[in-house]
Amino acid sequence: MTTRRKSLLWLAATAMPALPAQAEDAPVRMVATEFPPYTGSTLPGGGIACEVTRAALRQSGRSMTLTFRPWARALLEFQRGEHDGVIGAWRSAERERTMRFPQALGILNQVGFMARADHRLRVDDLAALREVRIGVVNGYANPPRFDAANLPIESAVDDLANLRKLLAGRVDLALIDKGVGAHLLETHLREAAGKLVWLEPSVSEIPLFTVFSKIRPEGERFAAALSRGIGDLQGSGRLAMLLQQGARWQ
């Protein structure tokens, strides 16, 4: 009787669907900064970079929490282990020493020029722009190719001020991220729709990443889950759909 009862219990246990191992794992603690339209606390889903990260982790059976911090504080808290990963980072040799870079999110930061629609310029040869007034943002790290051209620049306090100077004719070109420019025209400068245009080609194109710790052991596991999830999203076509909805400027 005891043997038969044990057998029935074993059959019942094996017949129940097994829960995925990740279900018992705590959410991955992510941090991002205010960099709309890529990341932002007031954006739907936290911005397209956060949406892709969340969808990729979910595809691998992981959930995540999301905190927003100023950039310097986000990096400091990440280094202290208060966050598992940072959403929206550029790759560099220096960062690779402490950060693990999984597969890129599929988002390109295209840095280049905007101009007035009635005053378009050729920008494929930077050396030909030596007599052009170019607006930049004070304190921003500009593309090395742009800096190497040693062009005359005029500084603004932020991207919005830079575009307003362009509209007013105080500069001929504004150096800006294409997505940031598109976002500002949709939000703060709606009256300028059609007055400003993006000029091809861009000066540089930089892939955007979500990164994890290279020092803490769980970083490798999280990075693998994200890469696996992004691969699945690409294969199913969902990544293209997300980017089409949240990164229309690409």
Side-chain angles (χ1 to χ4, degrees), residues 11-47:
L11 286 171
T14 55
M16 293 177 64
L19 293 173
Q22 296 93 337
E24 296 180 359
D25 291 342
V28 185
R29 302 166 302 165
M30 305 303 300
V31 66
T33 196
E34 298 291 342
F35 184 34
Y38 304 101
T39 57
S41 57
T42 63
L43 298 174

Side-chain angles (χ1 to χ4, degrees), residues 3 12-13 21-22 50 65 96 99 104 111 118 138 194 202 204 214 230:
T3 302
Q22 296 93 337
C50 297
T65 60
E96 283 184 338
M99 294 179 177
V111 180
D118 60 356
N138 187 37
S202 57
S204 69
K214 208 170 190 177
I230 290 176

